[in-house]
Amino acid sequence: SAVTVDTSGINVTGVVTATSFIGSGANLTNLPPGGNQIDLVADGAIAAGKPCIIQTDGKVAQVAETLLPTNPPVGNGDSTVTHVKEMVSWVYDTSRDRYVVIGKSGDAYWIYGTNTSGNTTFSWSSQFLLLGYALSSCMSCYHESQERTIFMWWNSQQTASVALQVATHGPDVNSAADFNADWTYNVGNRARPIAAIYYSQVNVCCFMVQDNDSNLGILYMLDTTTSSTISQNVVNKKATITLDGSASIQFGGLATNGTVLVAAYKKGSNSGIYYKIITGTNNTTYTETSEAHYTDGSITVEQMDITYDSNAGKFVLVYKNASNNYLRVVVGTLSGTGSSATISWGTPVEMGTEAIIGVSCEYDPTRKETLVVYGRTDTLGMLRYVSISGTTPTWGTNVTLDSNFYPCTTRGDHYSIVANPDTYQMAVAWVTGSGNSGSASRYELITGASVQTNITLNNFLGFAPSAINDTATGTINLPGNTVDNQSGLSPGTRYFIKDDGTFQTNGSSSVNQSHGGLVAVSATKGVIVGQGGFT
């Protein structure tokens, strides 16, 4: 730059990059006026004031992180718990950033855990007694709206009418006293939970159970109170739905698209899978369809599960062909509403020639595919993802989890799968012995996708002073210019662009100065600094 002084004042020729200011700098204009700008076509919508990159196709895009599939998926973080060791079921408490587990160690116990070591394993609490009576079967469900975990278990030392018990916690999940486990909070006769899911349409946790005495399948719709006093936090039964009044139900699964709930189950010795579509009007009133029947020829189904792929907008049903123990998957399309709702099923696709023992599936919102976890008859635990195109499912690569891999439910033959949205991972739990008689419960993190940024060491362009719609042409202010539409800046402070397009300062950990950024001249404006401009 060149600086001259004449009667008009101080004149600057060229680009001035300012690194500190005295005063607010609120009246600072573009440097140089009208320059250091370029008009480009946007690839994706760009918000006002956001940093941008130039792509290889000449289009401009907002700096952002995206989730891309990891192929093959990675199973890591194998962790062993020897105290709560049988019939475990767990959830991820998103409000408290921790896993919460119910299981058996003779009596009913619970523990909590967190990710550790760079999200490659777990750290677990000591065990906490839930109730001092023998546990025969259990299940857990996280009520997302009320931010409470509901435990359901069969207390085998209570009489039939009060044996199926429930508990929830107060504002914390830190100690034995945080769960209200008064046995008088029961929901029904002794029963074995098969599946559980949060149904957001009417804010209830749904538990599918097999009644021990009648073998009937029952749905219990539950919510909780949310008092800050633990003793006042109780589970409320809102409704009870009988799935079938005449036949035994041992295997089953629950899935929801947020609007309807689908309960699918194996009934007696019949072939195929039966299901009902349930729509909640409120948390006590539900509309049911007539019982429908999906058949895959004359195949007799045993283990099975169902989930909803929100990316494809389809229900995904996995099941074992009892004649050869091979796993199959089929995709279902929902149509209609209320009692007239129906599901049309596509063509099933067999996984291969691996004989299985037990299966569970859960939609992975990070990878946008369905995670299928199964055990082989040689006791190896495996996973595969299922992708969907139209109504056609495709099996992904098989990945080995561990040996000595057994289901952790006494009915349904399921493994317990949860999603951790904070680390973009899935996690699966199992037990080490058949019939839930092992010496430990096991837990493993599954990474099916990784976070990647679109900013590199040479593609930062500048900032969009105004919003630009996708495919529209808009203006980008280049380094040396200024940009408005910021907030909360401190004049004179350097702000470096992070991988997700937000800012960090020198006070932040692991500061990356190479992406460029800006120097604040007011709370809402900064001078743009290019890559390498801070070093």
Side-chain angles (χ1 to χ4, degrees), residues 133-173:
Y133 301 101
L135 182 149
S136 293
S137 189
C138 65
M139 193 69 65
S140 57
C141 187
Y142 181 63
H143 195 295
E144 296 176 11
S145 176
Q146 296 173 341
E147 297 180 348
R148 295 287 187 269
T149 297
I150 298 177
F151 287 153
M152 174 183 285
W153 73 99
W154 174 5
N155 184 341
S156 60
Q157 293 189 10
Q158 294 295 339
T159 59
S161 61
V162 293
L164 190 60
Q165 298 178 355
V166 290
T168 191
H169 57 89
D172 300 314
V173 184

Side-chain angles (χ1 to χ4, degrees), residues 396-420:
T397 304
N398 60 332
V399 175
T400 301
L401 290 172
D402 207 341
S403 59
N404 205 11
F405 193 90
Y406 293 94
C408 51
T409 58
T410 56
R411 286 295 183 270
D413 288 353
H414 289 313
Y415 309 94
S416 190
I417 306 174
V418 296
N420 184 334

Side-chain angles (χ1 to χ4, degrees), residues 74-81 90 114-117 119-124 380-381 400-405 425-432 440-447:
V74 177
N76 55 20
D78 192 353
S79 177
T80 301
V81 175
W90 64 339
T114 57
N115 284 21
T116 188
S117 301
N119 298 318
T120 60
T121 188
F122 302 90
S123 174
W124 297 104
L380 277 181
T400 301
L401 290 172
D402 207 341
S403 59
N404 205 11
F405 193 90
Q425 292 173 301
M426 303 294 281
V428 60
W430 69 96
V431 296
T432 59
S441 56
R442 304 289 294 275
Y443 306 85
E444 187 150 354
L445 289 163
I446 298 167
T447 302

Side-chain angles (χ1 to χ4, degrees), residues 331-346:
V331 173
T333 303
L334 177 73
S335 60
T337 59
S339 58
S340 299
T342 60
I343 295 177
S344 58
W345 299 98

Side-chain angles (χ1 to χ4, degrees), residues 264-281:
Y265 43 92
K266 163 67 187 288
K267 189 171 73 169
S269 59
N270 296 298
S271 63
I273 297 168
Y274 291 82
Y275 61 95
K276 283 187 175 183
I277 305 169
I278 299 163
T279 306
T281 303

